[in-house]
């Protein structure tokens, strides 16, 4: 599709040409350029970062996405894909002089194949709709981010999203078997296969979690899972997060893999009670444990889990007697972020990972950091896989409030890394943590990632400035890695 | 290009690291540190030598077989345990450690019962790095997946000697690209693995098993379809042909396993539970079965809905007197088949499988019948795979014939010195 474009004619001409050609490709009403329209797309769930794009394009088909990217390629315009904009790392933050490709019109479920346990969807389909489409037939789609009513499958693929039940069932990467990827020059690749363990390089595996930097995903094949026969849920109350942490360790040591194991500390429980009255016990920490599977297995393990909780000092164990009570136990957990939004003017969600055996120690360290920085931290997190979500409560209007919150957040990451953990368990690097990457990865590690990125996107137009640090964003020596005192003392090393 | 010589390599690595051999290529070296691997690769890369990393040598025929190379890196010297943290269900070890040794180490942790849930053929002699590179798996694939699901992080060396890491040692991690996935199944063509971090699983305390014997294809297929619907989570569900047998293993708490086995046995009046001795008898040979006897061995995969077609085909082959042996993970749609080393037979089987939307990959015997694997049908993915290979190994130093996918009907470079 050869087009004549005056590339030489200055930035304004370029924008005009771009918008005109975009309108030809997808229809004028699907190209937004007015400042009020663009405002919606200025940020994702990490609202502290904002940038208006030149335009927002809303394509309806793979072919349209391909033509839009071919055009971007021709004109050298960077692009950022956007699903539902719930990301918490600034992954869908627009780039200056770039466009946003919104996938919100591509929200059809294309096929449901129960016999082969596959569902094919467009990228804008909200996560929960997949389960809704198959649950009557006794199946579900396992990855269940707390944002599942809203967040899109395309966003899930880009972030390799997890959820409470990923402890047992695995993450998005374990549930996607094929994807259509439009490359930054407009070519369309079909990655993966209808067969498992297909020979050849696992390009699909690299795509999942690539945060929109390898191209735009326009179709996804998902694996669905048979619904368990029985689900049982309990909430155990403890005096402190230490006690709850011991229960986590005891359950894992007993060889039990719960479907979900979530922890909430006192600050979280108080906020949840104040705003949504879930009826949680008044305690220092609560552990929500859910088991599922064949009824006999589920029932015997459930007994064992309750006994273990009691043995390590649970002050109370509440068992959900029916679906209604189960929903109530989950209500507080699912609503914890929004509850926090109501008790604190602002909060920042950190997303660090620690080895599960070191939960108690890191939580104690976070407690010390709270005191040091004079800010409160509420912990509500996926305890079973060591994925912490400390919510740092602050007030942006108080002098230095945001700065202190950021420092505290970075110190928490330092604790996670010193314990042998990771920068992010499910929210991604995005723009938020791009300058933190050098704390975990050496220059060579990052260079290898960069080589792979370039193999997919030689032009560098796909979501630039995300995932990998650049000197422009982070300075010549990207990142602000400072060895943690434990590392200096030789008691810990970064992996 | 100056060929590698034992004295030059000895100078680089010190005495003992270059294995005695005849004058013929390839030279075999036995590095014992990451730095040595890096130095060797940097040298090889600058000289234009072709290098083949090798683990236990149990799967040398995989991924396009052995080809012509100048240097073989025997990785079994990098076999140290770095960390086993039973409370986290993880371990970190040198990529040259053999699986058997790792299992021994992790099973010794007092107060815990855990294992790496991988029962690939000849698994105990295979190295961890080799198992990652080949993505080999066995009957337990049914419940626990492959190395794709078990690898948490890796340290590796690129062809130019760059030492790098990906992933980590925690079970949940999305920092950076998931290059672990790229290394799994790359057959040594992208990088040399030097250290791996792996997820372990608890060993369930109870086990029960069920057999359906003397099944027709129809009956076996219906049994499998029903097995996917009953509330039981098998850890093994192997279909064996021409034995016309389906074997199911349930693992859970003792009573949980028992109750699940009852449900499974109730699917078909001919199905029955096995006692421990009977199960042991079957289980002993389960993962090595397709490798026993002569012939070509290939991995196969197909959509679940096509399993009946495959079983009908197998039945027909048996009636025609073809000497073959099929092992299929019946609730997943992957397995292996041993076929006679006859080009027409292999080709015929491949075509039949492809007509079922399935795929075939030769693991043993490509020297006889050529690679004849299925190819990726998508041209853009092929171009991308080649671009990734070029990005990581621009000079084609690492097993370049193990291209990212087999080319159809090309002979697997059977002439020339064998690296295997
Ligand atoms: C209240 C709340 C709770 C949350 N809970 C969880 C949780 O439990 N677990 C979890 O993992 N996350 C959670 N998240 C984070 C977020 O919901 C997930 O990251 C989600 O996958 C983002 O989906 P999205 O459609 O909103 O993506 P967006 O925010 O629109 O985009 C995210 C990234 O994906 C890229 N992208 C989007 N679509 C495509 C596409 N089609 N092709 C290529 N790239 C694309 C974007 O460029 C961006 O980099 C939560 C967020 C909120 C606000």
């Amino acid at each position: 599709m050869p087009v004549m474009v005056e590339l030489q004619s200055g930035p304004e001409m370029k924008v005009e040409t771009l918008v005109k050609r975009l309108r030809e490709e997808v229809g004028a009403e699907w190209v937004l350029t007015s400042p009020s329209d663009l405002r919606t797309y200025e940020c994702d769930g990490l609202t502290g970062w904002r940038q208006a794009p030149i335009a927002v394009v809303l394509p309806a088909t793979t072919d349209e996405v391909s033509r839009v990217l071919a055009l971007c390629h021709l004109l050298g315009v960077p692009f950022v894909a956007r699903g539902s904009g719930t990301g918490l790392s600034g992954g869908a933050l627009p780039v200056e002089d770039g466009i946003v490709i919104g996938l919100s019109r591509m929200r059809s479920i294309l096929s449901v194949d129960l016999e082969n346990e596959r569902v094919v969807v467009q990228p804008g389909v909200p996560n929960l709709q997949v389960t809704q489409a198959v649950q009557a037939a006794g199946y579900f789609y396992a990855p269940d981010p707390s944002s599942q009513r809203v967040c899109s499958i395309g966003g899930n693929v880009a972030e390799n999203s997890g959820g409470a039940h990923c402890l047992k069932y695995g993450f998005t990467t374990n549930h996607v078997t094929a994807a259509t990827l439009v490359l930054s020059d407009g070519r369309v690749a079909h990655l993966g296969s209808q067969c498992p363990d297909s020979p050849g390089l696992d390009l699909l595996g690299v795509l999942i979690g690539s945060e929109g930097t390898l191209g735009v995903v326009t179709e996804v094949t998902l694996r669905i899972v048979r619904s368990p026969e029985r689900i049982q849920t309990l909430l155990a109350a403890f005096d402190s997060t230490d006690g709850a942490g011991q229960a986590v360790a005891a359950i894992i040591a007993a060889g039990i893999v719960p479907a979900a194991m979530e922890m909430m500390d006192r600050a979280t429980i108080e906020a949840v009670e104040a705003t949504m009255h879930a009826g949680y016990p008044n305690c220092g920490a609560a552990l929500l444990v859910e088991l599922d599977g064949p009824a006999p297995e589920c029932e015997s393990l459930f007994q064992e889990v309750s006994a273990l909780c009691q043995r390590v000092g649970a002050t109370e164990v509440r068992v959900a007697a029916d679906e209604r009570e189960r929903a109530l136990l989950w209500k507080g957990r699912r609503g914890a972020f929004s509850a926090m939004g109501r008790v604190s003017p602002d909060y920042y969600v950190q997303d660090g990972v620690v080895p599960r055996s070191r939960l108690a120690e890191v939580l104690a360290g976070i407690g010390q950091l709270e005191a040091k920085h004079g800010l409160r931290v509420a912990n509500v997190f996926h305890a079973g896989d060591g994925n912490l979500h400390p919510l740092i409560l602050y007030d942006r209007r108080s002098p230095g409030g945001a700065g202190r919150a950021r420092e505290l957040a970075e110190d928490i990451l330092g604790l996670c890394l010193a314990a042998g953990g990771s920068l992010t368990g499910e929210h991604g690097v995005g723009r938020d943590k791009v300058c933190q990457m050098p704390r975990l990865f050496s220059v060579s590690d990052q260079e290898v990632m960069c080589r792979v990125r370039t193999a997919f996107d030689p032009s560098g137009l796909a979501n630039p400035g995300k995932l990998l640090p650049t000197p422009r964003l982070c300075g010549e020596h990207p990142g602000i890695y400072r060895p943690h005192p434990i590392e200096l003392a030789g008691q810990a090393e970064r992996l | 290009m100056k060929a590698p010589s034992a004295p030059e390599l000895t100078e680089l690595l010190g005495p003992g690291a270059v294995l005695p051999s005849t004058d013929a290529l390839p030279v075999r070296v036995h590095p014992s540190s990451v730095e040595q691997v890096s130095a060797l690769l940097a040298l090889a890369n600058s000289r234009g030598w072709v290098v083949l990393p090798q683990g236990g040598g149990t799967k040398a025929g995989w991924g396009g077989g052995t080809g012509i190379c100048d240097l073989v890196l025997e990785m079994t010297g990098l076999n140290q345990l770095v960390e086993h943290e039973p409370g986290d269900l993880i371990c970190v070890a040198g990529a040259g450690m053999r699986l058997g040794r790792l299992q021994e180490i992790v099973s010794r942790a007092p107060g815990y019962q855990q294992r790496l849930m991988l029962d690939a053929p000849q698994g105990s002699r295979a190295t961890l790095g080799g198992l990652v590179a080949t993505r080999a798996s066995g009957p337990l694939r049914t419940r626990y997946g492959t190395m794709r699901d078990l690898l948490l992080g890796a340290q590796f060396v690129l062809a130019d000697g760059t030492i790098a890491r990906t992933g980590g040692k925690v079970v949940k991690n999305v920092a950076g690209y998931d290059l672990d996935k790229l290394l799994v199944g790359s057959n040594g063509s992208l990088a040399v693995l030097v250290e791996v971090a792996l997820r372990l699983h608890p060993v369930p305390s109870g086990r029960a098993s069920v057999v359906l014997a003397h099944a027709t294809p129809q009956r076996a297929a219906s049994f499998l379809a029903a097995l996917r619907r009953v509330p039981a989570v098998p850890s093994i569900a192997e279909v064996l042909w021409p034995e016309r047998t389906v074997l199911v293993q349930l693992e859970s708490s003792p009573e949980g396993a028992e109750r699940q086995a009852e449900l499974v046995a109730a699917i078909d009046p001919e199905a029955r539970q096995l006692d421990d001795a009977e199960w042991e008898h079957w289980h002993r040979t389960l993962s090595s079965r397709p490798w026993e006897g002569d012939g070509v061995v290939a991995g196969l995969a197909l959509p679940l809905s096509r399993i009946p077609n495959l079983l009908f085909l197998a039945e027909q082959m048996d009636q025609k007197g073809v000497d073959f042996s099929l092992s299929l993970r019946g609730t997943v749609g992957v397995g292996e088949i041993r076929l006679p080393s006859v080009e027409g037979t292999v080709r015929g089987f491949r075509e039949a499988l492809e007509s079922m939307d399935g795929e075939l990959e030769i693991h043993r015997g490509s020297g006889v019948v050529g690679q004849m694997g299925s190819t990726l049908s998508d041209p853009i993915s092929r171009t991308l795979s080649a671009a990734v290979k070029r990005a990581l190994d621009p000079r084609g130093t690492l097993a370049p014939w193990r291209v990212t996918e087999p080319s159809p009907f090309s002979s697997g470079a059977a002439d020339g010195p064998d690296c295997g």
Side-chain angles (χ1 to χ4, degrees), chain B residues 268-337:
Chain B
D268 187 310
E270 291 288 312
R272 64 177 182 88
Q273 289 202 45
L274 292 172
D275 63 33
D276 276 356
E278 287 175 301
W279 170 254
E280 278 311 322
H281 164 77
W282 280 107
H283 186 239
R284 210 169 307 131
T285 57
L286 219 46
S287 74
S288 57
R289 185 178 157 279
W291 268 262
E292 283 159 10
D294 297 330
V296 167
V297 178
L300 59 83
L302 79 173
L304 288 171
S305 59
R306 299 309 190 97
I307 288 178
N309 309 52
L310 177 65
L311 299 184
F312 277 111
L313 174 68
E315 184 64 15
Q316 273 174 12
M317 285 163 55
D318 188 42
Q319 276 160 14
K320 283 193 204 142
V322 179
D323 171 27
F324 76 99
S325 134
L326 170 71
S327 290
L328 181 75
R329 264 107 271 162
T331 53
V332 183
V334 297
E336 297 84 31
I337 189 164

Side-chain angles (χ1 to χ4, degrees), chain B residues 168-223:
Chain B
K169 59 169 187 173
V170 280
V171 295
K172 190 170 184 185
N173 187 359
V174 297
Y177 292 120
D178 193 351
L179 301 184
D180 291 342
K181 300 288 183 289
L182 206 49
L183 295 170
V184 175
S186 64
N187 286 306
S189 68
L190 295 182
V192 177
L193 287 150
V194 288
E195 189 181 295
V196 293
L198 298 166
R199 171 201 290 268
L200 305 172
H201 282 93
V203 180
S205 54
R207 186 184 70 202
S209 53
V210 173
V211 67
L212 175 71
H214 314 296
T216 60
Q218 180 57 51
R219 194 156 196 161
S222 314
F223 181 78

Side-chain angles (χ1 to χ4, degrees), chain A residues 5-332:
Chain A
V5 194
E6 305 89 288
L7 289 169
Q8 260 52 312
S9 37
E12 272 126 62
M13 274 305 290
K14 186 165 122 178
V15 170
E16 251 172 56
T17 313
L18 173 72
V19 169
K20 178 167 160 291
R21 292 282 289 112
L22 286 173
R23 293 202 157 118
E24 285 163 21
E25 298 298 358
V26 302
E29 71 266 48
W30 304 118
V31 180
L32 314 179
T33 53
S34 81
S36 62
D37 283 343
L38 296 184
R39 200 156 303 134
T40 320
Y41 296 87
E42 268 177 2
C43 67
D44 62 6
L46 187 74
T47 50
W49 296 91
R50 283 173 195 274
Q51 168 70 51
I54 308 177
V56 174
V57 191
L58 304 170
T61 62
T62 298
D63 186 51
E64 284 186 2
V65 173
S66 161
R67 280 184 282 137
V68 167
L69 293 201
L71 187 65
C72 287
H73 184 68
L74 189 76
L75 298 176
V77 176
F79 59 86
V80 179
R82 180 184 174 102
S84 305
T86 67
L88 291 173
S89 56
L93 176 75
V95 291
E96 217 183 332
D97 302 328
I99 63 167
V100 164
I101 300 179
L103 283 314
S104 52
R105 287 175 69 214
M106 296 180 71
R107 17 183 343 131
S108 300
I109 294 182
L110 300 173
S111 74
V112 175
D113 176 356
L114 295 177
E115 206 185 353
N116 285 307
E117 300 174 349
R118 297 288 185 271
V119 175
V120 182
V121 300
Q122 289 188 314
V125 168
N127 172 296
L128 189 60
Q129 278 186 15
V130 181
T131 290
Q132 284 167 345
V134 296
Q135 67 190 4
Y139 289 89
F140 72 114
Y141 176 62
D144 60 340
S146 309
S147 50
Q148 70 184 143
R149 274 173 205 289
V150 185
C151 68
S152 71
I153 293 295
N156 293 174
V157 168
E159 302 289 5
N160 187 16
S161 297
H165 292 83
C166 288
L167 176 58
K168 175 167 177 180
Y169 290 97
F171 314 102
T172 301
T173 192
N174 306 105
H175 297 272
V176 171
T177 63
T180 302
L181 173 70
V182 184
L183 299 174
S184 66
D185 58 5
R187 285 179 304 162
V188 179
H190 299 279
L191 309 183
S193 153
Q194 31 185 347
C195 300
D197 305 352
S198 185
L201 293 183
D202 187 2
L203 301 177
L204 180 67
V206 184
L207 173 68
I208 298 167
S210 64
E211 304 190 8
T213 63
L214 304 182
V216 179
V217 173
T218 58
E219 205 175 293
V220 188
T221 305
L222 305 169
R223 185 167 72 87
I224 49 171
V225 180
R226 195 88 193 141
S227 305
E229 182 187 19
R230 177 82 87 251
I231 302 176
Q232 284 185 296
T233 312
L234 65 77
L235 185 93
F238 296 88
D239 288 336
S240 67
T241 51
D242 251 18
Q246 278 172 28
V248 171
I251 291 167
I252 292 172
I256 300 170
V257 183
M261 184 148 57
E262 305 279 308
M263 201 193 295
M264 284 159 277
D265 68 0
R266 181 181 294 279
T268 308
I269 297 166
E270 281 172 5
V272 163
E273 280 311 307
T275 55
M276 57 184 65
H277 317 292
Y280 283 177
N282 176 8
C283 60
L287 194 64
L288 185 63
V289 186
E290 187 156 286
L291 290 157
D292 72 9
E297 169 177 317
C298 191
E299 280 154 18
S300 61
L301 294 180
F302 196 73
Q303 297 304 325
E304 209 178 326
V305 168
S306 326
L308 283 169
C309 286
Q310 254 137 10
R311 194 173 320 146
V312 299
T315 51
E316 186 184 341
V317 175
R318 273 188 206 177
V319 177
D322 53 28
E323 190 49 40
R324 196 190 59 83
E325 287 188 22
R326 173 179 174 235
L328 205 59
L329 290 185
W330 274 104
K331 183 178 167 192

Side-chain angles (χ1 to χ4, degrees), chain A residues 404-418:
Chain A
R404 267 190 299 149
R406 179 153 285 273
E407 270 173 36
L408 173 52
E410 288 181 4
D411 283 356
I412 291 176
L413 276 190
L415 288 180
C416 295
L417 296 179

